[in-house]
Amino acid sequence: MAVLLYYPLVKPPTEILHQALLYWDGIASIVPQERREYDVAVPAELQELQERRLYTPVTFELGDMEELDDPEWRRDRGQASRVLLQELRRMAVPPNRHQLSFPDAYLYGSKMSLWLERELLSLRLARPFQGDYWSLVVPQEVQQLVIGTLAREIAAGRRVSYIPCTDRVDAHAWALRPAGEDRLPAWELELGKLLPLPVPGTPTADVVAFRERYADERHRLMRAVHRMLGDLRRDYEHPADVLAQLRREIEESVDDYRAAARSSRMAWVDRSVMVTLALAAAAGGVVQPGLTWVLGAVGGYALNVATREIRPLSRARRDHDFSYLHRVGETLT
C-alpha cells in the first residue's frame, strides 16, 4: 500500500493518525532536521509509533532542496519553484497581502532552501525568529503553501509511496492550486463512508491492536480502493465501466471490513475523506472543470465526483497521483 504524508504541521490530528494506522502502511510528517528542534516538534506518541515502524519522520533532503531552489539558476528543472515563487509574489501584493493572518505560524529553517528563505524575507512575507530553535515567523497561508508544495515534491521524488494528506482545506487548496498555463484535469471523490474510523477518544493502542488482528480485511479493502482510483485515473472516459468491473470486489471487501469493525469493542463513525485524483494528461479537453455528478453506488454508498484543475507535479509518478483532504470536523450522514 502506501504511507500517508501529513502536512502542514508535524503532529497529525488523532483522527488522521487512526486513519493511517487502519488503512495504510503508516503515517509520516515533515520534521526539522536539528535534534533540538525535532525533540520539541515530535511528541512522544509519534516517537513510540516510530519504534514500531508505524511513523516515519521525513526531512528536507538535498534532492528536495534542488527542486525548490532558485528557478533562474535551475532552468532545467525548478517547475515547483517557479509555481511557488509566482504564488508568493501574488500573495505579497495588495489586496492579497492585507488578507493574510500575519504573523500566525512558523517555518523551521531546515524545511527551507536558502533561496526560499531570502525570497520570503524580501517579499516581507516572513520575519526572523530567534528563540529556543531557529525559524521564520510567517502567515499561516504562507506556511500552508510552502509545506504543501514541499509535501507534494517529497511524495513525487521518494522511493516510498507517500500520499499527501491534510485536514486543512486551505492547505489542500494551496498545494493543488493551478498556476500559469500548465494545468492538469482532476477528479475529486468523496470516499469517507468506505473508510470508517473509531469514535474520537479511542486509545491509539486499541487502534493498533485492531490493525494487527484484522490485517487481511484492511489490506483487502485498501487494495480494492486503490485499484478503483488507479483505474479511474487511467480509464477516465469510461468511469461507469470501471465501477461495474470493480463493484463486487469493493462491496465484498467493505462488507468484510464492516463485519470486523462490528466484532470489535470499538464504536465507529464515518468521516468525510475526499481524494483528489489527477487524470492522465490525455484527458485535457475531455473532462470539463466545474461539472459535478455521481458515478454510482459502491458498497451501498454513492461516490460523489467533481472535476477541477490542479497544478501538475514537476516529477509525477507513473502509477498514481492522489492527495487526501480529511474533513475531521464533519460526520457523514
Side-chain angles (χ1 to χ4, degrees):
M1 291 189 290
V3 175
L4 280 188
L5 177 59
Y6 175 72
Y7 69 95
L9 304 179
V10 172
K11 183 181 183 299
T14 301
E15 288 86 350
I16 292 184
L17 178 62
H18 288 176
Q19 185 193 60
L21 293 174
L22 290 175
Y23 302 117
W24 309 87
D25 286 337
I27 193 165
S29 61
I30 304 173
V31 302
Q33 295 180 0
E34 297 296 331
R35 188 65 200 185
R36 183 172 57 175
E37 299 173 1
Y38 177 90
D39 291 338
V40 171
V42 182
E45 182 179 44
L46 290 183
Q47 296 187 35
E48 292 174 1
L49 290 174
Q50 182 183 1
E51 294 177 357
R52 303 187 67 164
R53 299 184 178 181
L54 296 175
Y55 169 70
T56 304
V58 178
T59 57
F60 198 16
E61 297 179 353
L62 180 59
D64 307 310
M65 293 284 191
E66 292 177 353
E67 286 298 325
L68 294 184
D69 212 337
D70 189 343
E72 294 300 319
W73 181 66
R74 299 286 300 179
R75 292 180 180 272
D76 58 325
R77 303 173 75 176
Q79 179 183 1
S81 295
R82 285 191 293 273
V83 172
L84 179 58
L85 179 58
Q86 178 180 341
E87 290 298 317
L88 289 173
R89 288 176 175 173
R90 190 187 61 81
M91 296 171 72
V93 175
N96 297 325
R97 180 179 179 82
H98 302 322
Q99 300 172 1
L100 300 180
S101 52
F102 187 89
D104 194 57
Y106 299 91
L107 279 176
Y108 291 109
S110 57
K111 292 186 179 181
M112 296 177 289
S113 61
L114 292 177
W115 164 80
L116 181 55
E117 175 192 345
R118 290 194 299 267
E119 288 293 338
L120 290 172
L121 292 172
S122 66
L123 292 171
R124 294 191 297 170
L125 292 176
R127 294 202 302 259
F129 176 81
Q130 194 71 34
D132 293 335
Y133 42 87
W134 185 87
S135 61
L136 291 181
V137 181
V138 297
Q140 185 179 77
E141 295 87 346
V142 172
Q143 179 203 53
Q144 292 176 348
L145 170 62
V146 172
I147 302 301
T149 302
L150 178 59
R152 290 181 61 79
E153 289 303 303
I154 288 176
R158 302 292 172 87
R159 293 183 178 179
V160 176
S161 182
Y162 287 120
I163 306 297
C165 174
T166 185
D167 60 324
R168 310 290 182 91
V169 176
D170 291 342
H172 185 73
W174 281 117
L176 300 176
R177 185 181 181 88
E181 299 299 325
D182 296 328
R183 301 185 179 189
L184 192 68
W187 279 350
E188 291 182 334
L189 295 85
E190 172 55 66
L191 297 178
K193 282 201 169 184
L194 295 178
L195 309 174
L197 287 173
V199 297
T202 302
T204 298
D206 292 351
V207 177
V208 173
F210 181 91
R211 167 193 171 93
E212 295 173 348
R213 181 174 183 179
Y214 297 102
D216 291 341
E217 288 83 353
R218 292 191 311 104
H219 291 160
R220 185 182 180 188
L221 175 59
M222 285 312 297
R223 279 196 299 267
V225 171
H226 271 225
R227 182 181 173 188
M228 176 186 69
L229 295 176
D231 286 357
L232 285 174
R233 178 177 188 260
R234 289 184 292 271
D235 197 8
Y236 49 84
E237 293 180 299
H238 305 94
D241 293 343
V242 171
L243 282 186
Q245 294 173 4
L246 298 179
R247 187 183 306 276
R248 182 175 179 181
E249 178 183 352
I250 294 176
E251 289 180 345
E252 290 179 352
S253 63
V254 169
D255 289 343
D256 289 347
Y257 189 85
R258 293 268 174 174
R262 288 193 297 269
S263 68
S264 70
R265 295 183 178 181
M266 297 187 296
W268 298 75
V269 295
D270 295 323
R271 293 293 191 183
S272 177
V273 180
M274 184 180 71
V275 56
T276 299
L277 173 64
L279 304 183
V286 176
V287 178
Q288 298 300 320
L291 177 65
T292 302
W293 47 300
V294 177
L295 282 176
V298 175
Y301 308 117
L303 295 182
N304 296 303
V305 178
T307 59
R308 62 175 297 188
E309 289 181 340
I310 63 172
R311 187 182 69 220
L313 286 172
S314 61
R315 295 170 293 168
R317 288 203 302 269
R318 294 180 180 179
D319 52 348
H320 61 256
D321 177 17
F322 305 153
S323 294
Y324 282 83
L325 173 61
H326 189 107
R327 291 171 177 157
V328 175
E330 299 181 11
T331 300
L332 298 181
T333 59

